[in-house]
Amino acid sequence: IPAWFKPIAYAIILLRAVGTPCVFYGDYYGIPHNGVLPVEGLKTLLKIRQLYAYGEEKLYFDDRDIVGFTRSGDQSHPNSGIAVLLNDSLGGKKRLYMGSKFVGCKMIDAMGKILNTVEIDTNGWGEFLVNGGSLSVWVTEPAYEYLYIEE
């Protein structure tokens, strides 16, 4: 699997509502004697799974190059709820529904690929961005601040 695609694959494995995720040792720690580095962003994806990847899932698999999904969060996990965009081609954007509880909320790309924030509109929708051959995982501002205080 090409190195650029591994973070995208792990976002699907770790952040979707279905399945039992598995992380390979070499992807987490690297394999120095083979010149294999740890997968970029894997520790962040694991932290997002632990803290914020909860609630109902909505899929946006309507484009062959840019796909996305949202998790609506739940009351048991403060600041939970995420929006995920995955791209295997050129960069782009997609409108995703976060829900009415996120109205007015600002969201930040926890992967650090997109610097702009996204504000959820009065109907619960946001227009999220993703770079080419990359992924973006959008979390609320308070969730983002907690993620990076922890690390």
Side-chain angles (χ1 to χ4, degrees), residues 75-96:
Q75 291 183 346
S76 300
H77 299 90
N79 302 312
S80 62
I82 59 174
V84 180
L85 279 186
L86 313 165
N87 185 334
D88 70 353
S89 185
L90 303 175
K93 58 188 174 182
K94 189 178 285 288
R95 279 180 52 82
L96 305 175

Side-chain angles (χ1 to χ4, degrees), residues 91-103:
K93 58 188 174 182
K94 189 178 285 288
R95 279 180 52 82
L96 305 175
Y97 182 71
M98 288 301 300
S100 59
K101 74 178 187 180
F102 290 92
V103 168

Side-chain angles (χ1 to χ4, degrees), residues 8 34 57 65:
I8 294 171
N34 287 351
E57 178 180 70
D65 294 318

Side-chain angles (χ1 to χ4, degrees), residues 35-110:
V36 176
L37 297 173
V39 171
E40 180 186 354
L42 181 55
K43 290 179 183 177
T44 300
L45 291 172
L46 286 164
K47 192 65 140 179
I48 292 168
R49 175 186 170 75
Q50 175 191 9
L51 297 173
Y52 307 124
Y54 296 97
E56 181 184 349
E57 178 180 70
K58 291 191 184 317
L59 302 176
Y60 298 85
F61 288 9
D62 55 347
D63 182 287
R64 70 182 216 169
D65 294 318
I66 301 175
V67 298
F69 58 93
T70 60
R71 301 286 303 273
S72 63
D74 66 22
Q75 291 183 346
S76 300
H77 299 90
N79 302 312
S80 62
I82 59 174
V84 180
L85 279 186
L86 313 165
N87 185 334
D88 70 353
S89 185
L90 303 175
K93 58 188 174 182
K94 189 178 285 288
R95 279 180 52 82
L96 305 175
Y97 182 71
M98 288 301 300
S100 59
K101 74 178 187 180
F102 290 92
V103 168
C105 179
K106 290 187 180 175
M107 299 190 76
I108 299 172
D109 177 16

